[in-house]
Amino acid sequence: MKHILMACGTGICTSSAVRERVCQLLDERGYAGRYDVTQCRMADVPELADSHDFLIAVTLIPGTLDIPYVNGIPFLTGGDTSTSERTLLALMNAPSRARDAACCCA
């Protein structure tokens, strides 16, 4: 099970829109039931990072975070998502790094 952290400024609007697109992509690629997503504010990422495998951010991230990162902005804007999709799928296939994950639904 992959534990995905999805962050935007408030943890509500933009991350919800991106979550829908990301979940659709993952489900279409055969990952249904193999991941869960926790939405949060970017300010909450440092305290949640250790319990998640990677971060999809819909905002700029500070360079001090120690968590693999996917740029979620193209999923929001409808721009070219190919680089973000490749990164996302590579992280889905990478070994899990999450510890003590207590996440919510997929």
Side-chain angles (χ1 to χ4, degrees):
M1 176 72 70
K2 289 292 181 170
H3 304 290
I4 303 169
L5 190 56
M6 187 163 301
C8 67
T10 64
I12 300 170
C13 291
T14 53
S15 61
S16 293
V18 171
R19 177 187 180 146
E20 186 175 312
R21 291 185 178 119
V22 166
C23 289
Q24 181 179 3
L25 170 71
L26 291 175
D27 291 353
E28 288 172 355
R29 300 290 176 100
Y31 292 100
R34 296 174 47 199
Y35 64 92
D36 56 42
V37 179
T38 301
Q39 288 177 229
C40 68
R41 298 175 306 137
M42 197 64 207
D44 298 326
V45 171
E47 71 183 66
L48 297 171
D50 282 348
S51 61
H52 292 80
D53 292 297
F54 58 91
L55 166 68
I56 300 174
V58 192
T59 185
L60 295 175
I61 66 165
T64 57
L65 291 177
D66 185 29
I67 185 171
Y69 159 75
V70 176
N71 180 0
I73 295 172
F75 294 111
L76 178 66
T77 63
D80 180 8
T81 60
S82 59
T83 299
S84 292
E85 286 182 20
R86 276 193 306 275
T87 304
L88 173 62
L89 296 173
L91 288 168
M92 288 299 293
N93 291 314
S96 183
R97 70 177 286 281
R99 296 181 298 273
D100 300 322
C103 306
C104 63
C105 56

